[in-house]
Structures are given as structure tokens and as C-alpha cells.
Amino acid sequence: MQVLKKPPSGWPALVLNADYRPLSYYPLSLWPWQEVIKAVFLDRVDVIATYEQTVRSPSFEMRLPSVVALKSFVAQDRPPAFTRFNLFLRDAFACQYCGSMEDLTFDHLIPRSRGGRTSWENIVTACAPCNLAKGGRTPREAGMIPHKHPARPTMHQLQDLGRRFPPNFLHESWLDYLYWDIELEA
Ligand SMILES: [Zn+2]
């Protein structure tokens, strides 16, 4: 991961919740500058830090925000949506049988052909070779037991897991609001 002193391309702003924590860690909540300016004018966000870059129109001039915080708190306690992304995130992008992080697919613990459902409780992340090896068998028949018993994660758990996947680059003005161990490069 790189820490940039120059603004990242497109001047995105890090978006914080009203408690000054990132709205989302993974993907990191970044808005393009056009959206940020709109939110400033609609009075939905406070500007916490800015880039040097300014935008001008005949009637105003402002520095582009690099960090903004929502004025009203967005509760993160709703149950996470059952999506491919969230399922991979729950399993930390690792095959639940062998730990591989490549060639990931979804495996129905109880195969669909045997009445298994497509649900948080019956799907795990599996690499293609493990998925193929397990085939249409149950974990017990195949002798393949997932590392973790699959369950519906909470938003909080997903956020925590997301912190394990920092993006490739960060702007230095974002660092105070992220809780990664980051070594600053000169
Ligand atoms: Zn595997």
C-alpha cells in the first residue's frame, strides 16, 4: 500500500460516518469530487480536510474536500445483503476447505440437488479444485468440513473483516480516520 502526498486521480474524498469512522472499509468509502461538492451544497456533509486543488465557478470558489463526514449518522446495524461480495468478505476471500485465495467459487454445503438452500448458512467460499473435489456430496460424505461454520454475519463483523483489506493507495489526509497500521513513506 502506498501513501500519496499528491491527490489520487479524480480527487476522491474519504467519506466518514457522523462518528468519524469510515462509512465503509471495504471497499473504502470514497466519493468522486463531483458528488462531494453536491453533498456539500446540499449540506449533507462537513468538510474535514481538503486538497490544494480548487474548483471555481463565477459565484464561488472552494478547495476540493479530501475528507468529509456525514451530518447524520447512518446506522450500520442492518443485516448485510446476501451478495457474492459480502459472502467472500465473510470468508475473508479464502477457500473454507484449504485456505487458497485463488480461483474462488461458492459451494453449497448441502448440494442443491439434495435440497440445500442458497443462504448464508449453506454457502461457503471454496476454490474451484475443492468445489470440484466435493462434487455433489455433503461435507460428511466428502470428508470436507469447512473451517468455520457458515452463518449470517453482522454488518459490524463485515466492517471488521474489511479492515483487513486496505486499498493499494491512500491519501495522507485520510490516515487519521483509518485504523490501519501504516508506515509512512518519505
Ligand atoms: Zn480449496
Side-chain angles (χ1 to χ4, degrees), residues 119-137:
S119 66
W120 286 112
E121 294 78 14
N122 194 47
I123 300 241
V124 295
T125 304
C127 70
C130 285
N131 201 339
L132 197 67
K134 181 167 167 285
R137 298 177 293 172

mmCIF file of all heavy atoms in Angstrom, residues 119-137:
data_model
loop_
_atom_site.group_PDB
_atom_site.id
_atom_site.type_symbol
_atom_site.label_atom_id
_atom_site.label_comp_id
_atom_site.label_asym_id
_atom_site.label_seq_id
_atom_site.Cartn_x
_atom_site.Cartn_y
_atom_site.Cartn_z
ATOM 1 N N SER A 119 -28.153 -19.856 0.903
ATOM 2 C CA SER A 119 -28.318 -18.994 2.064
ATOM 3 C C SER A 119 -26.970 -18.837 2.761
ATOM 4 O O SER A 119 -26.032 -19.595 2.498
ATOM 5 C CB SER A 119 -29.319 -19.611 3.044
ATOM 6 O OG SER A 119 -28.776 -20.808 3.569
ATOM 7 N N TRP A 120 -26.886 -17.847 3.642
ATOM 8 C CA TRP A 120 -25.655 -17.632 4.412
ATOM 9 C C TRP A 120 -25.217 -18.925 5.097
ATOM 10 O O TRP A 120 -24.036 -19.194 5.257
ATOM 11 C CB TRP A 120 -25.887 -16.592 5.512
ATOM 12 C CG TRP A 120 -26.000 -15.178 5.077
ATOM 13 C CD1 TRP A 120 -27.110 -14.393 5.115
ATOM 14 C CD2 TRP A 120 -24.942 -14.338 4.587
ATOM 15 N NE1 TRP A 120 -26.816 -13.122 4.678
ATOM 16 C CE2 TRP A 120 -25.503 -13.068 4.354
ATOM 17 C CE3 TRP A 120 -23.587 -14.551 4.325
ATOM 18 C CZ2 TRP A 120 -24.743 -11.997 3.874
ATOM 19 C CZ3 TRP A 120 -22.831 -13.485 3.851
ATOM 20 C CH2 TRP A 120 -23.412 -12.237 3.626
ATOM 21 N N GLU A 121 -26.190 -19.712 5.552
ATOM 22 C CA GLU A 121 -25.880 -20.881 6.366
ATOM 23 C C GLU A 121 -25.459 -22.085 5.533
ATOM 24 O O GLU A 121 -24.904 -23.037 6.074
ATOM 25 C CB GLU A 121 -27.107 -21.278 7.218
ATOM 26 C CG GLU A 121 -27.498 -20.256 8.276
ATOM 27 C CD GLU A 121 -28.263 -19.055 7.708
ATOM 28 O OE1 GLU A 121 -28.720 -19.134 6.527
ATOM 29 O OE2 GLU A 121 -28.385 -18.041 8.419
ATOM 30 N N ASN A 122 -25.751 -22.044 4.230
ATOM 31 C CA ASN A 122 -25.462 -23.231 3.423
ATOM 32 C C ASN A 122 -24.440 -22.980 2.317
ATOM 33 O O ASN A 122 -24.191 -23.854 1.498
ATOM 34 C CB ASN A 122 -26.758 -23.796 2.818
ATOM 35 C CG ASN A 122 -26.554 -25.208 2.260
ATOM 36 O OD1 ASN A 122 -25.971 -26.057 2.920
ATOM 37 N ND2 ASN A 122 -26.991 -25.435 1.022
ATOM 38 N N ILE A 123 -23.859 -21.766 2.281
ATOM 39 C CA ILE A 123 -22.885 -21.479 1.225
ATOM 40 C C ILE A 123 -21.558 -21.100 1.857
ATOM 41 O O ILE A 123 -21.520 -20.336 2.830
ATOM 42 C CB ILE A 123 -23.362 -20.305 0.343
ATOM 43 C CG1 ILE A 123 -24.704 -20.663 -0.296
ATOM 44 C CG2 ILE A 123 -22.316 -19.957 -0.701
ATOM 45 C CD1 ILE A 123 -24.699 -20.687 -1.773
ATOM 46 N N VAL A 124 -20.491 -21.641 1.335
ATOM 47 C CA VAL A 124 -19.162 -21.218 1.765
ATOM 48 C C VAL A 124 -18.314 -20.910 0.536
ATOM 49 O O VAL A 124 -18.591 -21.384 -0.568
ATOM 50 C CB VAL A 124 -18.431 -22.296 2.606
ATOM 51 C CG1 VAL A 124 -19.167 -22.539 3.922
ATOM 52 C CG2 VAL A 124 -18.239 -23.575 1.825
ATOM 53 N N THR A 125 -17.279 -20.109 0.763
ATOM 54 C CA THR A 125 -16.303 -19.830 -0.275
ATOM 55 C C THR A 125 -15.429 -21.072 -0.452
ATOM 56 O O THR A 125 -14.939 -21.625 0.533
ATOM 57 C CB THR A 125 -15.429 -18.632 0.146
ATOM 58 O OG1 THR A 125 -16.290 -17.528 0.420
ATOM 59 C CG2 THR A 125 -14.433 -18.256 -0.933
ATOM 60 N N ALA A 126 -15.285 -21.500 -1.691
ATOM 61 C CA ALA A 126 -14.443 -22.672 -1.970
ATOM 62 C C ALA A 126 -13.659 -22.418 -3.249
ATOM 63 O O ALA A 126 -14.189 -21.834 -4.187
ATOM 64 C CB ALA A 126 -15.298 -23.919 -2.128
ATOM 65 N N CYS A 127 -12.424 -22.854 -3.283
ATOM 66 C CA CYS A 127 -11.667 -22.724 -4.530
ATOM 67 C C CYS A 127 -12.218 -23.759 -5.512
ATOM 68 O O CYS A 127 -12.837 -24.748 -5.102
ATOM 69 C CB CYS A 127 -10.164 -22.913 -4.292
ATOM 70 S SG CYS A 127 -9.683 -24.596 -3.881
ATOM 71 N N ALA A 128 -11.987 -23.505 -6.787
ATOM 72 C CA ALA A 128 -12.569 -24.378 -7.801
ATOM 73 C C ALA A 128 -12.135 -25.841 -7.615
ATOM 74 O O ALA A 128 -12.975 -26.743 -7.700
ATOM 75 C CB ALA A 128 -12.228 -23.861 -9.201
ATOM 76 N N PRO A 129 -10.845 -26.120 -7.340
ATOM 77 C CA PRO A 129 -10.454 -27.526 -7.145
ATOM 78 C C PRO A 129 -11.195 -28.201 -5.982
ATOM 79 O O PRO A 129 -11.627 -29.348 -6.111
ATOM 80 C CB PRO A 129 -8.947 -27.448 -6.862
ATOM 81 C CG PRO A 129 -8.507 -26.179 -7.512
ATOM 82 C CD PRO A 129 -9.663 -25.234 -7.395
ATOM 83 N N CYS A 130 -11.346 -27.487 -4.850
ATOM 84 C CA CYS A 130 -12.074 -28.084 -3.710
ATOM 85 C C CYS A 130 -13.542 -28.288 -4.067
ATOM 86 O O CYS A 130 -14.140 -29.312 -3.723
ATOM 87 C CB CYS A 130 -11.957 -27.202 -2.465
ATOM 88 S SG CYS A 130 -10.344 -27.310 -1.665
ATOM 89 N N ASN A 131 -14.117 -27.301 -4.741
ATOM 90 C CA ASN A 131 -15.521 -27.395 -5.118
ATOM 91 C C ASN A 131 -15.747 -28.616 -6.006
ATOM 92 O O ASN A 131 -16.684 -29.396 -5.803
ATOM 93 C CB ASN A 131 -15.934 -26.100 -5.840
ATOM 94 C CG ASN A 131 -17.439 -25.879 -5.804
ATOM 95 O OD1 ASN A 131 -18.194 -26.826 -5.595
ATOM 96 N ND2 ASN A 131 -17.866 -24.647 -6.009
ATOM 97 N N LEU A 132 -14.810 -28.780 -6.942
ATOM 98 C CA LEU A 132 -14.904 -29.912 -7.861
ATOM 99 C C LEU A 132 -14.727 -31.230 -7.106
ATOM 100 O O LEU A 132 -15.459 -32.202 -7.334
ATOM 101 C CB LEU A 132 -13.809 -29.753 -8.928
ATOM 102 C CG LEU A 132 -13.973 -30.577 -10.193
ATOM 103 C CD1 LEU A 132 -15.191 -30.086 -10.976
ATOM 104 C CD2 LEU A 132 -12.710 -30.450 -11.055
ATOM 105 N N ALA A 133 -13.762 -31.250 -6.180
ATOM 106 C CA ALA A 133 -13.485 -32.476 -5.423
ATOM 107 C C ALA A 133 -14.681 -32.880 -4.566
ATOM 108 O O ALA A 133 -14.975 -34.060 -4.402
ATOM 109 C CB ALA A 133 -12.257 -32.273 -4.542
ATOM 110 N N LYS A 134 -15.370 -31.875 -4.030
ATOM 111 C CA LYS A 134 -16.508 -32.189 -3.151
ATOM 112 C C LYS A 134 -17.697 -32.677 -3.961
ATOM 113 O O LYS A 134 -18.422 -33.583 -3.539
ATOM 114 C CB LYS A 134 -16.886 -30.947 -2.336
ATOM 115 C CG LYS A 134 -18.039 -31.187 -1.371
ATOM 116 C CD LYS A 134 -18.148 -30.040 -0.376
ATOM 117 C CE LYS A 134 -19.466 -30.109 0.377
ATOM 118 N NZ LYS A 134 -20.610 -29.668 -0.445
ATOM 119 N N GLY A 135 -17.840 -32.094 -5.156
ATOM 120 C CA GLY A 135 -18.903 -32.523 -6.057
ATOM 121 C C GLY A 135 -20.276 -32.425 -5.424
ATOM 122 O O GLY A 135 -20.570 -31.490 -4.699
ATOM 123 N N GLY A 136 -21.109 -33.389 -5.681
ATOM 124 C CA GLY A 136 -22.490 -33.347 -5.206
ATOM 125 C C GLY A 136 -22.675 -34.005 -3.847
ATOM 126 O O GLY A 136 -23.761 -34.488 -3.536
ATOM 127 N N ARG A 137 -21.599 -34.042 -3.052
ATOM 128 C CA ARG A 137 -21.695 -34.726 -1.765
ATOM 129 C C ARG A 137 -21.860 -33.746 -0.601
ATOM 130 O O ARG A 137 -21.529 -32.572 -0.715
ATOM 131 C CB ARG A 137 -20.430 -35.567 -1.541
ATOM 132 C CG ARG A 137 -20.262 -36.661 -2.591
ATOM 133 C CD ARG A 137 -18.970 -37.425 -2.404
ATOM 134 N NE ARG A 137 -17.793 -36.584 -2.660
ATOM 135 C CZ ARG A 137 -16.548 -36.972 -2.425
ATOM 136 N NH1 ARG A 137 -16.307 -38.173 -1.915
ATOM 137 N NH2 ARG A 137 -15.531 -36.178 -2.693
#
